[in-house]
Amino acid sequence: MVPVFLAQWMKEKRSPYMVLIFISISIAAALLFGSNMDIKLKIDTFRGEGVTVEEAERWIDRLNESGAFIFSLRAEEESLADVRQGRSDMAVRLLKDDYRIIAVMESTNVELVQQHMQAVYHEEFRIMAAASHAEDELEFREAMKTYMEQPPLKLQSSTSSGSELRSYDMRLQLLFGFSLFLAMLTVGFRVNAMTAEKISGIWNRVILSPLTKTEMYLGHLTYSTLIGIVQITMVFLLAKYLFGFSLGHSFGMLAMIVVLYTMTIVAMSMLFTGILRTPEQFGAIFTSIVPIMPLISGAYMPPGTITNDVLLFIGQFLPLQHALDALIGVSIYEQGWTDIYLPLAKLLLMTVIFFGVGINLVERRRL
């Protein structure tokens, strides 16, 4: 086993470009797409006819209170030019008691901004109407502000067990999804190298040595597993310590999930190797099937988006979905072993079945 493992390492050392490219893409894609999820939508606003600078700034302060969007005051010509040239989705004209949204086309962002501004304006108009009947309008507004900051009743929400509700981190899901997906490609092509050795005759020459077939398989598969673990671990470490992603407090559990998932991917790649006859077939079919798996597993979409029963059924046979469920459970919801044992058991079962069928097919086939 060790000589085969070292031989794979020496080949990688002489030509590490493929593995380095996949690792680089994995880190770049996971962190880029994951980090962009918390970027707030910036919206340019400009004053309409009869609106003073003080009034515009007051409305901008009110619109920015929720934190969902960032409204900023700009010149009208610059704001409209950005919209016309596609550099901005929309701009907002502030009127005396109204507003206008200027956009080239309807989009989800335009609808969200419309809803947000409508709610803010309606609330402000109600306060203005009530303040107009008060003796001191400024004092009334201060009292309203104090009342809103310290209401007599507060609503608190918690889970059925009494613990604090946690907001869902979509950035973290994207980080996990891209990391697991790209690791499949790296591991798959490393396992495919075994088929290339069989076709070139290297495998048959090694069989004549004192090494057994079991040791040869273990050397190849252990090396492929290690490559996948290193790739995913590098992404997680960079995300946690360099980009500030919150991966929870059980990094050991995350590592165990990564190890089991990587073993399952190695076993799945072995199954593809047994089904497909040549490395070229593997490269064509494997790279066509693997990108579909994150879509079916819902790795790129919020939970509950996929409701089709057929897709949900297919997703149960994909290792990525179960690994993603376990990683999210540990990192976001701080679940323990008893909570994630089912996804891990499914991964372990897949590993055994894929290895058994895959190696059997490889041994039965004559290259």
Side-chain angles (χ1 to χ4, degrees), residues 191-192 194-195 269-276 282 362 365:
V191 175
N192 189 38
M194 186 168 57
T195 306
S269 303
M270 194 68 197
L271 178 61
F272 275 94
T273 302
I275 296 174
L276 306 173
F282 183 96
V362 170
R365 188 182 65 211

Side-chain angles (χ1 to χ4, degrees), residues 9-22:
W9 164 246
M10 293 304 297
K11 287 196 303 182
E12 208 76 75
K13 189 176 180 181
R14 287 194 299 268
S15 181
Y17 305 110
M18 187 189 73
V19 173
L20 291 178
I21 288 174
F22 275 119

Side-chain angles (χ1 to χ4, degrees), residues 236-282:
F236 286 5
L237 291 176
L238 287 174
K240 180 177 178 63
Y241 296 107
L242 188 61
F243 293 90
F245 280 73
S246 177
L247 301 182
H249 305 291
S250 302
F251 206 84
M253 294 179 65
L254 295 180
M256 183 61 66
I257 297 170
V258 169
V259 171
L260 185 54
Y261 168 77
T262 309
M263 292 174 58
T264 309
I265 295 305
V266 172
M268 185 184 71
S269 303
M270 194 68 197
L271 178 61
F272 275 94
T273 302
I275 296 174
L276 306 173
R277 298 186 62 84
T278 65
E280 291 75 18
Q281 290 179 353
F282 183 96

Side-chain angles (χ1 to χ4, degrees), residues 42-48 51-61 63-64 70-80 82 91-95 121:
K42 297 181 180 179
I43 302 168
D44 295 332
T45 60
F46 57 90
R47 294 183 294 123
V51 179
T52 64
V53 176
E54 292 76 12
E55 290 174 337
E57 290 179 347
R58 180 171 60 84
W59 277 116
I60 289 176
D61 291 339
L63 293 170
N64 286 332
I70 300 178
F71 292 84
S72 58
L73 189 62
R74 290 186 66 190
E76 179 177 354
E77 295 78 9
E78 296 176 355
S79 302
L80 295 179
D82 286 347
V92 175
R93 176 186 284 117
L94 298 176
L95 303 177
Y121 268 73

Side-chain angles (χ1 to χ4, degrees), residues 112 114 144 163 166 187 192 248 285 303 306 311 322 335-336:
L112 293 175
Q114 166 71 20
M144 282 290 300
S163 58
R166 297 181 179 274
V187 170
N192 189 38
I285 297 178
I306 298 179
L311 295 180
H322 303 300
Q335 295 178 347

